[in-house]
Amino acid sequence: MTDEIRKTYLQAAEKAVYLLATEQVARCWETESVLPGMSVGGLAGHLARSVLQVEWFLDGQVCGAEPVSPVRYYARLSDTSLPHSALNVGVRARSEETAAAGPTVVAEQARAAWVGLSQRLGVEPADRRVAVLHRPGEEMFLDGYLQTRCVELTVHLDDLALSVDAPCRVPDAALAIAVDLLVAAARDQHGRSSRVACTRQA
C-alpha cells in the first residue's frame, strides 16, 4: 500500500511540475484564475506547495503527537466556501508568498523538490511521520499526508489548467484517492453533525 500511494503521489506531482513550467502559466501569472480572488500566480503557488510542502514537512521536527488521519484532516475543516474565512485567507497568503518568487523560480523549485522526493520517498519507512508545519504540534503519517496532497493536486491541477487554457489530465489513481478521501471526510463530518444535533435535541 505504501509503495502504491507514493507512486501515485509522484505521478500527480510530476503533472504539476510540468504544468507549472509551461509558457501559458508564466504568461498569465498576473491575471485572475478561475478561483475568485486568486491570481494564476497565487493558484500556481498553491499547486506548487503540494510538492514543496512534502519536503518541508519531512524535514520538520516530530514530537510524538497522536497522528491526524487524512479523513480527519479534511472532515474538521469549516467555512471552506467562505472567501474571507480564516482558513481561506491563510491559504491565499501562503500561496501568494510562494508565488512572489515568480513563475520561473516557482517552477524550478517544484521540479527540484519532485526530483528529490522521487528518491527520498522510496527509502522512508512505512510508519514515517511528518510535522504539519502550519499547525504547530500536529503530525501525520507520511502516507496519509500524501493522500491529502493527491486531493490538492487533483483539484488544483484542473483549476490551473482551466485558468490558462492548457491541457492536463490528472492520473486516474490520484483521482481515485481524492474521491475516496473526500467522500470519507464528508461522511465523517455529516455523522458528527448528526450526533451533535441529536444530543442537542435530547
Side-chain angles (χ1 to χ4, degrees), residues 6-54:
R6 296 180 186 186
K7 178 181 177 181
T8 297
Y9 165 75
L10 287 170
Q11 288 174 340
E14 184 178 20
K15 294 285 188 179
V17 167
Y18 175 82
L19 181 58
L20 288 166
T22 61
E23 181 184 346
Q24 294 100 308
V25 170
R27 186 173 62 245
C28 299
W29 197 258
E30 301 295 337
T31 64
E32 187 171 3
S33 73
V34 296
L35 299 183
M38 184 173 274
S39 67
V40 166
L43 178 54
H46 186 58
L47 181 64
R49 289 177 72 90
S50 284
V51 185
L52 300 172
Q53 280 185 179
V54 176

Side-chain angles (χ1 to χ4, degrees), residues 140-182:
M140 296 184 73
F141 285 117
L142 172 60
D143 291 347
Y145 184 64
L146 294 180
Q147 290 179 57
T148 71
R149 295 312 89 191
C150 283
V151 172
E152 298 299 319
L153 288 165
T154 295
V155 172
H156 297 303
L157 271 167
D158 192 49
D159 287 336
L160 186 58
L162 287 172
S163 296
V164 302
D165 193 26
C168 186
R169 178 180 172 82
V170 177
D172 290 341
L175 177 59
I177 288 175
V179 170
D180 287 348
L181 178 50
L182 291 178

Side-chain angles (χ1 to χ4, degrees), residues 35-191:
L35 299 183
M38 184 173 274
S39 67
V40 166
L43 178 54
H46 186 58
L47 181 64
R49 289 177 72 90
S50 284
V51 185
L52 300 172
Q53 280 185 179
V54 176
E55 195 169 53
W56 298 341
F57 283 20
L58 279 167
D59 291 335
Q61 183 66 45
V62 296
C63 56
E66 183 67 23
V68 176
S69 73
V71 171
R72 293 298 303 144
Y73 183 91
Y74 282 113
R76 68 185 176 181
L77 298 181
S78 60
D79 297 334
T80 56
S81 63
L82 301 177
H84 300 297
S85 68
L87 171 68
N88 286 322
V89 168
V91 167
R92 287 196 299 273
R94 291 190 293 272
S95 301
E96 293 293 347
E97 180 181 357
T98 300
T104 300
V105 173
V106 170
E108 290 174 349
Q109 289 175 339
R111 174 167 289 279
W114 177 79
V115 169
L117 290 171
S118 296
Q119 300 298 319
R120 190 170 183 178
L121 293 183
V123 298
E124 293 289 353
D127 61 351
R128 177 66 151 90
R129 298 184 181 204
V130 296
V132 182
L133 298 181
H134 59 278
R135 292 181 178 271
E138 283 198 3
E139 297 175 13
M140 296 184 73
F141 285 117
L142 172 60
D143 291 347
Y145 184 64
L146 294 180
Q147 290 179 57
T148 71
R149 295 312 89 191
C150 283
V151 172
E152 298 299 319
L153 288 165
T154 295
V155 172
H156 297 303
L157 271 167
D158 192 49
D159 287 336
L160 186 58
L162 287 172
S163 296
V164 302
D165 193 26
C168 186
R169 178 180 172 82
V170 177
D172 290 341
L175 177 59
I177 288 175
V179 170
D180 287 348
L181 178 50
L182 291 178
V183 168
R187 286 176 173 169
D188 180 275
Q189 191 173 56
H190 177 72

